[in-house]
Coordinates of all heavy atoms in Angstrom, one line a residue:
A15 N -61.5 -61.4 -16.3 CA -61.2 -60.1 -15.8 C -59.7 -59.8 -15.7 O -59.3 -58.7 -16.0 CB -61.9 -59.8 -14.6
A16 N -58.9 -60.9 -15.3 CA -57.5 -60.6 -15.2 C -56.9 -60.3 -16.5 O -55.9 -59.5 -16.6 CB -56.8 -61.8 -14.6
E17 N -57.4 -60.9 -17.5 CA -56.8 -60.7 -18.9 C -57.1 -59.3 -19.4 O -56.4 -58.8 -20.2 CB -57.6 -61.6 -19.9 CG -57.3 -63.0 -19.7 CD -58.1 -64.0 -20.6 OE1 -59.0 -63.6 -21.3 OE2 -57.7 -65.2 -20.7
L18 N -58.1 -58.6 -18.7 CA -58.4 -57.3 -19.0 C -57.6 -56.3 -18.1 O -57.8 -55.0 -18.2 CB -59.8 -56.9 -19.0 CG -60.7 -57.7 -19.9 CD1 -62.2 -57.5 -19.6 CD2 -60.5 -57.4 -21.4
G19 N -56.8 -56.7 -17.2 CA -56.0 -55.9 -16.4 C -56.6 -55.5 -15.0 O -56.1 -54.7 -14.3
D20 N -57.6 -56.2 -14.6 CA -58.3 -55.9 -13.3 C -57.4 -56.4 -12.2 O -57.1 -57.6 -12.1 CB -59.7 -56.6 -13.3 CG -60.4 -56.2 -12.0 OD1 -61.1 -55.2 -12.0 OD2 -60.2 -57.0 -11.0
A21 N -57.0 -55.3 -11.3 CA -56.0 -55.7 -10.2 C -56.6 -56.7 -9.3 O -55.9 -57.7 -8.9 CB -55.7 -54.4 -9.5
E22 N -57.9 -56.6 -8.9 CA -58.5 -57.5 -8.0 C -58.5 -59.0 -8.5 O -58.3 -59.9 -7.9 CB -59.8 -57.2 -7.5 CG -60.5 -57.9 -6.5 CD -61.9 -57.4 -6.0 OE1 -62.1 -56.2 -6.1 OE2 -62.7 -58.2 -5.6
A23 N -58.9 -59.1 -9.8 CA -58.8 -60.4 -10.5 C -57.5 -61.0 -10.5 O -57.3 -62.2 -10.3 CB -59.4 -60.2 -11.9
H24 N -56.5 -60.2 -10.7 CA -55.1 -60.7 -10.8 C -54.6 -61.2 -9.3 O -54.1 -62.2 -9.3 CB -53.9 -59.7 -11.2 CG -53.9 -59.5 -12.7 ND1 -53.3 -60.5 -13.5 CD2 -54.2 -58.5 -13.6 CE1 -53.3 -60.1 -14.7 NE2 -53.8 -58.9 -14.8
F25 N -55.2 -60.5 -8.4 CA -54.8 -60.9 -7.0 C -55.6 -62.2 -6.7 O -55.0 -63.2 -6.1 CB -55.3 -59.9 -6.0 CG -55.0 -60.3 -4.6 CD1 -53.7 -60.3 -4.1 CD2 -56.1 -60.8 -3.8 CE1 -53.3 -60.6 -2.8 CE2 -55.7 -61.2 -2.4 CZ -54.4 -61.1 -1.9
Q26 N -56.8 -62.4 -7.1 CA -57.5 -63.7 -7.0 C -56.8 -64.8 -7.7 O -56.7 -66.0 -7.2 CB -59.0 -63.6 -7.4 CG -59.7 -62.8 -6.5 CD -59.8 -63.3 -5.0 OE1 -59.9 -64.5 -4.8 NE2 -59.8 -62.4 -4.2
V27 N -56.4 -64.6 -8.9 CA -55.7 -65.6 -9.7 C -54.4 -66.0 -9.0 O -54.1 -67.2 -8.9 CB -55.5 -65.2 -11.2 CG1 -54.5 -66.2 -11.9 CG2 -56.9 -64.9 -11.9
A28 N -53.6 -64.9 -8.5 CA -52.4 -65.3 -7.7 C -52.8 -66.2 -6.6 O -52.0 -67.1 -6.4 CB -51.8 -64.0 -7.4
T29 N -53.8 -65.9 -5.8 CA -54.2 -66.7 -4.7 C -54.5 -68.2 -5.2 O -54.1 -69.1 -4.5 CB -55.4 -66.1 -4.0 OG1 -55.1 -64.7 -3.6 CG2 -55.9 -67.0 -2.8
F30 N -55.2 -68.3 -6.3 CA -55.5 -69.7 -6.7 C -54.1 -70.4 -7.0 O -54.0 -71.6 -6.7 CB -56.3 -69.6 -8.0 CG -57.7 -69.2 -7.9 CD1 -58.4 -68.5 -8.9 CD2 -58.4 -69.3 -6.7 CE1 -59.6 -68.0 -8.8 CE2 -59.6 -68.8 -6.6 CZ -60.3 -68.2 -7.6
Y31 N -53.2 -69.8 -7.7 CA -51.9 -70.5 -7.9 C -51.1 -70.7 -6.7 O -50.4 -71.7 -6.6 CB -51.1 -69.6 -8.9 CG -51.5 -69.8 -10.4 CD1 -52.1 -68.7 -11.1 CD2 -51.4 -71.0 -11.1 CE1 -52.4 -68.8 -12.5 CE2 -51.8 -71.2 -12.3 CZ -52.3 -70.2 -13.1 OH -52.7 -70.3 -14.3
H32 N -51.2 -69.8 -5.7 CA -50.5 -70.0 -4.4 C -51.1 -71.3 -3.7 O -50.4 -72.1 -3.2 CB -50.7 -68.8 -3.5 CG -50.0 -69.0 -2.2 ND1 -48.7 -69.0 -2.0 CD2 -50.7 -69.3 -0.9 CE1 -48.5 -69.2 -0.8 NE2 -49.6 -69.3 -0.1
E33 N -52.4 -71.4 -3.7 CA -53.1 -72.4 -2.9 C -53.4 -73.7 -3.7 O -53.7 -74.7 -3.1 CB -54.4 -71.9 -2.3 CG -54.2 -70.7 -1.4 CD -55.5 -70.1 -0.9 OE1 -56.6 -70.5 -1.4 OE2 -55.5 -69.2 -0.1
G34 N -53.2 -73.6 -5.0 CA -53.5 -74.8 -5.9 C -55.0 -75.0 -5.9 O -55.4 -76.1 -6.1
E35 N -55.8 -73.9 -5.9 CA -57.2 -74.0 -5.9 C -57.7 -73.8 -7.3 O -57.5 -72.7 -7.9 CB -57.8 -72.9 -5.0 CG -59.3 -72.9 -4.9 CD -59.8 -71.8 -4.0 OE1 -59.1 -71.4 -3.0 OE2 -60.9 -71.4 -4.3
C36 N -58.3 -74.8 -7.9 CA -58.8 -74.8 -9.3 C -57.7 -74.9 -10.3 O -58.0 -75.1 -11.5 CB -59.7 -73.6 -9.6 SG -61.1 -73.4 -8.5
V37 N -56.5 -74.8 -9.9 CA -55.3 -74.9 -10.8 C -54.1 -75.5 -10.1 O -54.1 -75.7 -8.8 CB -54.9 -73.5 -11.3 CG1 -55.9 -72.8 -12.2 CG2 -54.4 -72.6 -10.2
E38 N -53.3 -76.0 -10.8 CA -51.9 -76.6 -10.1 C -51.2 -75.5 -9.5 O -51.1 -74.4 -10.2 CB -51.2 -77.3 -11.1 CG -50.0 -78.2 -10.6 CD -49.5 -79.1 -11.5 OE1 -50.1 -79.6 -12.6 OE2 -48.2 -79.2 -11.5
K39 N -50.6 -75.7 -8.3 CA -49.7 -74.7 -7.8 C -48.6 -74.3 -8.7 O -48.1 -75.2 -9.3 CB -49.1 -75.2 -6.4 CG -50.1 -75.2 -5.3 CD -49.4 -75.6 -3.9 CE -50.3 -75.5 -2.8 NZ -49.5 -75.6 -1.5
D40 N -48.3 -73.0 -8.8 CA -47.3 -72.6 -9.7 C -46.8 -71.2 -9.2 O -47.5 -70.2 -9.4 CB -47.9 -72.4 -11.0 CG -46.8 -72.1 -12.1 OD1 -45.9 -71.3 -11.9 OD2 -47.0 -72.5 -13.4
G41 N -45.7 -71.2 -8.6 CA -45.1 -70.1 -8.0 C -44.7 -68.9 -9.0 O -44.9 -67.7 -8.7
K42 N -44.3 -69.3 -10.2 CA -44.1 -68.3 -11.2 C -45.3 -67.5 -11.6 O -45.2 -66.3 -11.8 CB -43.3 -68.9 -12.4 CG -41.9 -69.3 -12.1 CD -41.2 -69.8 -13.4 CE -39.8 -70.2 -13.0 NZ -39.1 -70.8 -14.1
K43 N -46.3 -68.3 -11.9 CA -47.6 -67.6 -12.3 C -48.2 -66.8 -11.1 O -48.8 -65.8 -11.4 CB -48.7 -68.7 -12.8 CG -48.2 -69.3 -14.1 CD -49.2 -70.3 -14.6 CE -48.7 -70.9 -16.0 NZ -49.7 -71.9 -16.5
E44 N -48.1 -67.3 -9.9 CA -48.5 -66.6 -8.7 C -47.9 -65.2 -8.7 O -48.4 -64.2 -8.5 CB -48.3 -67.3 -7.4 CG -48.6 -66.6 -6.2 CD -48.0 -67.1 -5.0 OE1 -47.2 -68.2 -5.0 OE2 -48.2 -66.6 -3.9
L45 N -46.5 -65.3 -8.9 CA -45.7 -64.0 -8.8 C -46.1 -63.1 -9.9 O -46.2 -61.9 -9.5 CB -44.2 -64.4 -8.9 CG -43.3 -63.2 -8.7 CD1 -43.4 -62.5 -7.4 CD2 -41.9 -63.7 -8.8
Y46 N -46.3 -63.6 -11.1 CA -46.7 -62.8 -12.2 C -47.9 -62.0 -11.9 O -48.1 -60.8 -12.1 CB -46.9 -63.5 -13.5 CG -47.5 -62.8 -14.6 CD1 -46.8 -61.9 -15.3 CD2 -48.9 -63.0 -14.8 CE1 -47.5 -61.1 -16.3 CE2 -49.5 -62.3 -15.8 CZ -48.9 -61.3 -16.6 OH -49.4 -60.6 -17.6
H47 N -48.9 -62.8 -11.4 CA -50.3 -62.1 -11.1 C -50.3 -61.2 -9.9 O -50.9 -60.2 -9.9 CB -51.4 -63.3 -10.9 CG -51.8 -63.8 -12.3 ND1 -52.5 -63.2 -13.2 CD2 -51.4 -65.1 -12.8 CE1 -52.6 -64.0 -14.3 NE2 -52.0 -65.1 -14.1
L48 N -49.4 -61.5 -8.9 CA -49.2 -60.6 -7.8 C -48.6 -59.3 -8.3 O -49.0 -58.2 -7.9 CB -48.3 -61.2 -6.7 CG -48.9 -62.1 -5.6 CD1 -47.7 -62.6 -4.7 CD2 -49.9 -61.4 -4.9
E49 N -47.6 -59.4 -9.1 CA -47.0 -58.2 -9.7 C -48.0 -57.3 -10.5 O -48.1 -56.1 -10.3 CB -45.8 -58.5 -10.6 CG -44.6 -59.0 -9.8 CD -43.5 -59.6 -10.6 OE1 -43.7 -59.8 -11.9 OE2 -42.4 -59.8 -10.0
Q50 N -48.8 -58.0 -11.2 CA -49.8 -57.3 -12.1 C -50.9 -56.6 -11.2 O -51.3 -55.5 -11.4 CB -50.6 -58.3 -13.0 CG -49.6 -58.8 -14.1 CD -48.9 -57.7 -14.9 OE1 -49.6 -56.8 -15.5 NE2 -47.7 -57.7 -15.0
A51 N -51.3 -57.4 -10.1 CA -52.1 -56.8 -9.1 C -51.6 -55.6 -8.4 O -52.3 -54.6 -8.3 CB -52.6 -57.9 -8.1
A52 N -50.4 -55.7 -8.1 CA -49.7 -54.6 -7.4 C -49.6 -53.4 -8.3 O -49.8 -52.2 -7.8 CB -48.3 -55.0 -6.9
I53 N -49.2 -53.5 -9.5 CA -49.0 -52.5 -10.5 C -50.4 -51.9 -10.6 O -50.5 -50.7 -10.8 CB -48.5 -53.1 -11.9 CG1 -47.0 -53.4 -11.7 CG2 -48.7 -52.0 -12.9 CD1 -46.5 -54.2 -12.9
G54 N -51.5 -52.6 -10.6 CA -52.8 -52.1 -10.7 C -53.4 -51.4 -9.5 O -54.5 -50.9 -9.5
G55 N -52.6 -51.5 -8.4 CA -53.0 -50.7 -7.2 C -53.5 -51.6 -6.1 O -54.0 -51.0 -5.1
D56 N -53.4 -52.9 -6.1 CA -53.9 -53.7 -5.1 C -52.9 -53.7 -4.0 O -51.8 -54.2 -4.1 CB -54.1 -55.2 -5.6 CG -54.8 -56.0 -4.5 OD1 -54.2 -56.3 -3.5 OD2 -56.0 -56.4 -4.8
V57 N -53.2 -53.1 -2.8 CA -52.2 -53.0 -1.7 C -51.9 -54.3 -1.0 O -50.8 -54.4 -0.5 CB -52.7 -52.0 -0.6 CG1 -52.7 -50.6 -1.3 CG2 -54.0 -52.3 -0.1
T58 N -52.8 -55.3 -1.0 CA -52.5 -56.5 -0.4 C -51.5 -57.4 -1.2 O -50.6 -58.0 -0.7 CB -53.9 -57.3 -0.1 OG1 -54.7 -56.6 0.7 CG2 -53.5 -58.7 0.6
A59 N -51.7 -57.2 -2.5 CA -50.8 -57.9 -3.4 C -49.3 -57.2 -3.2 O -48.3 -58.0 -3.2 CB -51.2 -57.7 -4.9
R60 N -49.3 -55.9 -3.1 CA -48.0 -55.2 -2.8 C -47.4 -55.7 -1.5 O -46.2 -56.0 -1.4 CB -48.3 -53.7 -2.7 CG -47.1 -52.8 -2.5 CD -46.2 -52.8 -3.7 NE -46.7 -52.0 -4.8 CZ -46.1 -51.9 -6.0 NH1 -44.8 -52.4 -6.1 NH2 -46.7 -51.4 -7.0
Y61 N -48.2 -55.8 -0.4 CA -47.8 -56.4 0.8 C -47.2 -57.8 0.7 O -46.2 -58.1 1.2 CB -48.9 -56.3 1.9 CG -48.6 -57.1 3.1 CD1 -47.7 -56.5 4.0 CD2 -49.2 -58.4 3.3 CE1 -47.5 -57.3 5.3 CE2 -49.0 -59.0 4.5 CZ -48.2 -58.5 5.4 OH -47.9 -59.2 6.5
N62 N -48.0 -58.6 0.0 CA -47.5 -60.0 -0.3 C -46.2 -60.1 -1.0 O -45.3 -60.9 -0.7 CB -48.6 -60.8 -1.0 CG -49.8 -61.1 -0.1 OD1 -49.8 -60.9 1.1 ND2 -50.8 -61.6 -0.7
L63 N -46.1 -59.2 -1.9 CA -44.7 -59.2 -2.7 C -43.6 -58.8 -1.8 O -42.5 -59.4 -1.9 CB -44.8 -58.1 -3.8 CG -45.6 -58.6 -5.1 CD1 -45.7 -57.4 -6.1 CD2 -44.9 -59.8 -5.8
G64 N -43.9 -57.9 -0.9 CA -42.9 -57.5 0.1 C -42.5 -58.7 0.9 O -41.3 -59.0 1.2
G65 N -43.5 -59.5 1.4 CA -43.2 -60.8 2.1 C -42.4 -61.7 1.4 O -41.5 -62.4 1.9
K66 N -42.7 -61.9 0.1 CA -41.8 -62.8 -0.8 C -40.4 -62.4 -0.9 O -39.5 -63.1 -0.7 CB -42.5 -63.0 -2.1 CG -43.8 -63.8 -2.1 CD -44.3 -64.1 -3.5 CE -45.4 -65.2 -3.4 NZ -45.1 -66.4 -2.8
E67 N -40.2 -61.1 -1.1 CA -38.9 -60.5 -1.1 C -38.1 -60.7 0.2 O -37.0 -61.1 0.3 CB -38.9 -59.0 -1.5 CG -39.5 -58.8 -2.9 CD -38.6 -59.2 -4.0 OE1 -37.6 -59.9 -3.8 OE2 -39.1 -59.1 -5.2
F68 N -38.9 -60.5 1.3 CA -38.3 -60.7 2.6 C -37.9 -62.1 2.8 O -36.8 -62.4 3.4 CB -39.4 -60.2 3.7 CG -38.9 -60.4 5.1 CD1 -38.2 -59.2 5.7 CD2 -39.0 -61.6 5.9 CE1 -37.8 -59.4 7.0 CE2 -38.6 -61.5 7.1 CZ -38.0 -60.5 7.7
N69 N -38.7 -63.0 2.3 CA -38.4 -64.4 2.5 C -37.1 -64.9 1.7 O -36.6 -65.9 2.0 CB -39.7 -65.4 2.3 CG -40.7 -65.2 3.3 OD1 -40.4 -64.8 4.4 ND2 -41.9 -65.4 2.9
H70 N -36.9 -64.1 0.6 CA -35.6 -64.5 -0.1 C -34.5 -63.5 0.2 O -33.6 -63.4 -0.7 CB -36.1 -64.3 -1.7 CG -37.0 -65.4 -2.1 ND1 -38.4 -65.4 -2.3 CD2 -36.6 -66.7 -2.5 CE1 -38.8 -66.5 -2.6 NE2 -37.8 -67.3 -2.8
D71 N -34.6 -62.9 1.3 CA -33.5 -62.0 1.9 C -33.2 -60.8 0.9 O -32.1 -60.4 0.9 CB -32.2 -62.9 2.1 CG -32.3 -63.8 3.2 OD1 -33.0 -63.4 4.2 OD2 -31.8 -64.9 3.1
R72 N -34.2 -60.4 0.2 CA -34.0 -59.1 -0.6 C -34.7 -58.0 0.2 O -35.8 -57.6 -0.1 CB -34.6 -59.3 -1.9 CG -33.8 -60.4 -2.7 CD -34.3 -60.5 -4.2 NE -35.6 -61.1 -4.3 CZ -35.8 -62.4 -4.7 NH1 -34.8 -63.2 -5.1 NH2 -37.0 -62.8 -4.9
M73 N -34.1 -57.6 1.3 CA -34.7 -56.7 2.2 C -35.0 -55.2 1.7 O -36.1 -54.8 1.8 CB -33.8 -56.4 3.4 CG -33.5 -57.7 4.2 SD -34.9 -58.5 4.8 CE -34.3 -60.1 5.2
D74 N -34.1 -54.7 0.7 CA -34.5 -53.5 0.1 C -35.7 -53.5 -0.7 O -36.6 -52.6 -0.6 CB -33.3 -53.0 -0.8 CG -32.1 -52.6 0.0 OD1 -32.2 -52.3 1.2 OD2 -31.0 -52.4 -0.6
R75 N -35.9 -54.6 -1.5 CA -37.1 -54.7 -2.3 C -38.4 -54.9 -1.4 O -39.3 -54.4 -1.6 CB -37.0 -55.9 -3.3 CG -35.9 -55.6 -4.3 CD -35.7 -56.7 -5.3 NE -37.0 -57.1 -6.0 CZ -37.3 -56.6 -7.3 NH1 -36.5 -55.7 -7.7 NH2 -38.4 -56.9 -7.8
A76 N -38.2 -55.7 -0.3 CA -39.3 -55.9 0.6 C -39.7 -54.6 1.1 O -40.9 -54.3 1.3 CB -39.0 -56.9 1.6
M77 N -38.7 -53.8 1.6 CA -39.1 -52.5 2.3 C -39.8 -51.6 1.3 O -40.8 -50.9 1.7 CB -37.9 -51.9 2.9 CG -37.1 -52.7 4.0 SD -38.2 -53.2 5.3 CE -37.4 -54.8 5.7
K78 N -39.3 -51.6 0.1 CA -40.0 -50.7 -1.0 C -41.5 -51.1 -1.1 O -42.3 -50.2 -1.2 CB -39.2 -50.7 -2.3 CG -37.9 -50.0 -2.1 CD -37.1 -50.1 -3.5 CE -35.8 -49.5 -3.4 NZ -35.0 -49.7 -4.5
H79 N -41.7 -52.4 -1.2 CA -43.2 -52.8 -1.4 C -43.9 -52.4 -0.2 O -45.1 -51.9 -0.3 CB -43.1 -54.3 -1.6 CG -42.7 -54.7 -3.0 ND1 -43.4 -54.4 -4.1 CD2 -41.8 -55.7 -3.3 CE1 -42.8 -54.9 -5.1 NE2 -41.9 -55.7 -4.7
W80 N -43.4 -52.7 1.0 CA -44.1 -52.4 2.3 C -44.3 -50.8 2.4 O -45.4 -50.4 2.8 CB -43.5 -52.9 3.4 CG -43.6 -54.5 3.5 CD1 -44.6 -55.2 2.9 CD2 -42.8 -55.3 4.2 NE1 -44.3 -56.6 3.2 CE2 -43.3 -56.6 3.9 CE3 -41.6 -55.1 5.0 CZ2 -42.7 -57.8 4.5 CZ3 -41.1 -56.3 5.5 CH2 -41.6 -57.6 5.2
I81 N -43.4 -50.0 2.0 CA -43.5 -48.6 2.2 C -44.7 -48.1 1.2 O -45.5 -47.3 1.7 CB -42.2 -47.9 1.9 CG1 -41.2 -48.1 3.0 CG2 -42.4 -46.4 1.6 CD1 -39.8 -47.6 2.7
I82 N -44.6 -48.6 0.0 CA -45.7 -48.2 -0.9 C -47.0 -48.6 -0.4 O -48.0 -47.8 -0.4 CB -45.4 -48.8 -2.3 CG1 -44.3 -48.3 -3.0 CG2 -46.7 -48.7 -3.2 CD1 -43.8 -49.0 -4.2
A83 N -47.2 -49.8 0.1 CA -48.5 -50.3 0.6 C -48.8 -49.5 1.9 O -50.1 -49.2 2.1 CB -48.4 -51.8 0.9
A84 N -47.9 -49.2 2.8 CA -48.2 -48.5 4.0 C -48.7 -47.1 3.7 O -49.6 -46.5 4.2 CB -47.0 -48.5 4.9
K85 N -48.1 -46.4 2.7 CA -48.5 -45.1 2.2 C -49.9 -45.2 1.7 O -50.6 -44.1 1.7 CB -47.6 -44.6 1.2 CG -46.2 -44.0 1.7 CD -45.4 -43.5 0.6 CE -44.2 -43.0 1.2 NZ -43.3 -42.4 0.1
L86 N -50.4 -46.3 1.2 CA -51.8 -46.4 0.7 C -52.7 -47.0 1.8 O -53.8 -47.2 1.5 CB -51.7 -47.4 -0.4 CG -51.0 -46.9 -1.7 CD1 -50.9 -48.0 -2.7 CD2 -51.7 -45.6 -2.3
G87 N -52.2 -46.9 3.0 CA -53.0 -47.2 4.2 C -53.1 -48.7 4.6 O -54.1 -49.1 5.4
H88 N -52.2 -49.5 4.1 CA -52.2 -51.0 4.5 C -51.6 -51.1 5.8 O -50.3 -51.1 6.0 CB -51.6 -51.7 3.5 CG -51.8 -53.2 3.5 ND1 -50.9 -54.0 4.2 CD2 -52.8 -53.9 3.1 CE1 -51.3 -55.3 4.1 NE2 -52.5 -55.3 3.5
D89 N -52.3 -51.4 6.8 CA -51.8 -51.5 8.3 C -50.8 -52.7 8.5 O -49.9 -52.5 9.2 CB -53.0 -51.7 9.3 CG -53.8 -50.5 9.3 OD1 -53.3 -49.4 9.1 OD2 -55.0 -50.6 9.7
D90 N -51.0 -53.8 7.9 CA -50.1 -54.9 8.0 C -48.7 -54.5 7.4 O -47.6 -54.9 8.0 CB -50.6 -56.2 7.3 CG -51.8 -56.8 8.0 OD1 -51.9 -56.6 9.2 OD2 -52.4 -57.6 7.3
S91 N -48.6 -53.7 6.4 CA -47.4 -53.3 5.8 C -46.7 -52.3 6.8 O -45.4 -52.3 7.0 CB -47.6 -52.5 4.4 OG -48.1 -53.4 3.5
L92 N -47.4 -51.4 7.4 CA -46.8 -50.6 8.5 C -46.3 -51.5 9.6 O -45.2 -51.2 10.0 CB -47.9 -49.5 9.0 CG -47.5 -48.5 9.9 CD1 -46.3 -47.7 9.4 CD2 -48.5 -47.6 10.3
D93 N -47.0 -52.4 10.0 CA -46.5 -53.3 11.1 C -45.2 -54.1 10.7 O -44.3 -54.2 11.6 CB -47.6 -54.4 11.5 CG -48.8 -53.6 12.2 OD1 -48.6 -52.6 12.7 OD2 -49.9 -54.4 12.2
A94 N -45.2 -54.4 9.4 CA -43.9 -55.2 8.9 C -42.8 -54.2 8.9 O -41.7 -54.6 9.3 CB -44.2 -55.7 7.5
L95 N -43.1 -53.0 8.6 CA -42.0 -51.9 8.6 C -41.6 -51.7 10.1 O -40.3 -51.6 10.3 CB -42.4 -50.6 7.9 CG -42.6 -50.7 6.4 CD1 -43.3 -49.5 5.9 CD2 -41.1 -50.8 5.7
K96 N -42.5 -51.6 10.9 CA -42.1 -51.4 12.3 C -41.3 -52.5 12.9 O -40.2 -52.4 13.6 CB -43.4 -51.2 13.2 CG -44.1 -49.9 13.1 CD -45.4 -49.9 13.9 CE -46.3 -48.7 13.7 NZ -47.6 -48.8 14.4
D97 N -41.8 -53.7 12.6 CA -41.1 -55.0 13.1 C -39.6 -55.0 12.4 O -38.6 -55.3 13.2 CB -41.8 -56.3 12.7 CG -43.1 -56.4 13.5 OD1 -43.2 -55.7 14.5 OD2 -43.9 -57.2 13.0
S98 N -39.5 -54.6 11.2 CA -38.1 -54.6 10.5 C -37.2 -53.6 11.2 O -36.1 -53.8 11.3 CB -38.3 -54.4 9.1 OG -39.0 -55.4 8.4
Y99 N -37.8 -52.4 11.5 CA -37.1 -51.4 12.2 C -36.6 -51.9 13.6 O -35.4 -51.7 14.0 CB -37.8 -50.1 12.3 CG -37.1 -49.0 13.1 CD1 -36.1 -48.3 12.4 CD2 -37.4 -48.8 14.4 CE1 -35.4 -47.3 13.1 CE2 -36.7 -47.7 15.1 CZ -35.7 -47.0 14.4 OH -35.0 -46.1 15.1
E100 N -37.4 -52.5 14.3 CA -37.1 -53.0 15.7 C -36.1 -54.1 15.6 O -35.3 -54.3 16.5 CB -38.4 -53.5 16.4 CG -39.3 -52.3 16.8 CD -40.7 -52.8 17.3 OE1 -41.0 -54.1 17.3 OE2 -41.5 -51.9 17.7
D101 N -36.1 -54.9 14.6 CA -35.2 -56.0 14.4 C -33.9 -55.5 13.8 O -32.9 -56.3 13.5 CB -35.7 -57.0 13.5 CG -36.9 -57.8 14.2 OD1 -37.1 -57.8 15.5 OD2 -37.7 -58.5 13.5
G102 N -33.7 -54.2 13.5 CA -32.6 -53.7 12.9 C -32.3 -53.9 11.4 O -31.3 -53.7 11.0
L103 N -33.4 -54.2 10.8 CA -33.3 -54.5 9.4 C -33.6 -53.2 8.5 O -33.4 -53.2 7.4 CB -34.4 -55.6 8.9 CG -34.2 -56.9 9.6 CD1 -35.3 -57.8 9.3 CD2 -32.9 -57.6 9.3
L104 N -34.0 -52.2 9.2 CA -34.4 -51.0 8.5 C -33.9 -49.9 9.4 O -34.0 -49.9 10.7 CB -36.0 -50.9 8.4 CG -36.6 -49.7 7.8 CD1 -36.2 -49.7 6.4 CD2 -38.1 -49.8 8.0
S105 N -33.4 -48.7 8.8 CA -33.1 -47.6 9.5 C -33.9 -46.4 9.0 O -34.6 -46.5 8.0 CB -31.5 -47.3 9.3 OG -31.2 -47.1 8.0
K106 N -33.8 -45.2 9.7 CA -34.6 -44.1 9.3 C -34.2 -43.5 8.0 O -33.2 -43.5 7.5 CB -34.4 -43.1 10.4 CG -35.3 -43.5 11.6 CD -35.3 -42.3 12.6 CE -36.0 -42.7 13.9 NZ -36.1 -41.7 14.9

């Protein structure tokens, strides 16, 4: 299904590569499938991409991912934005 562009399938494949479940762990393949899932509209994938960007000190990119996901109703993304604002990493 991921080969056909299904966002949920891409997210599941990304999870497999992240956890090493059924496949060998592979960060590059995980990232690719997270990006494909996010492009396809998977808000949890978008949130996870924000987390990866945050962990690599790319705050602008992290905030953009979280804003998109929050606008689509993802509560964890809204919480991440609130925490970032409280920590001084985000301004109005």
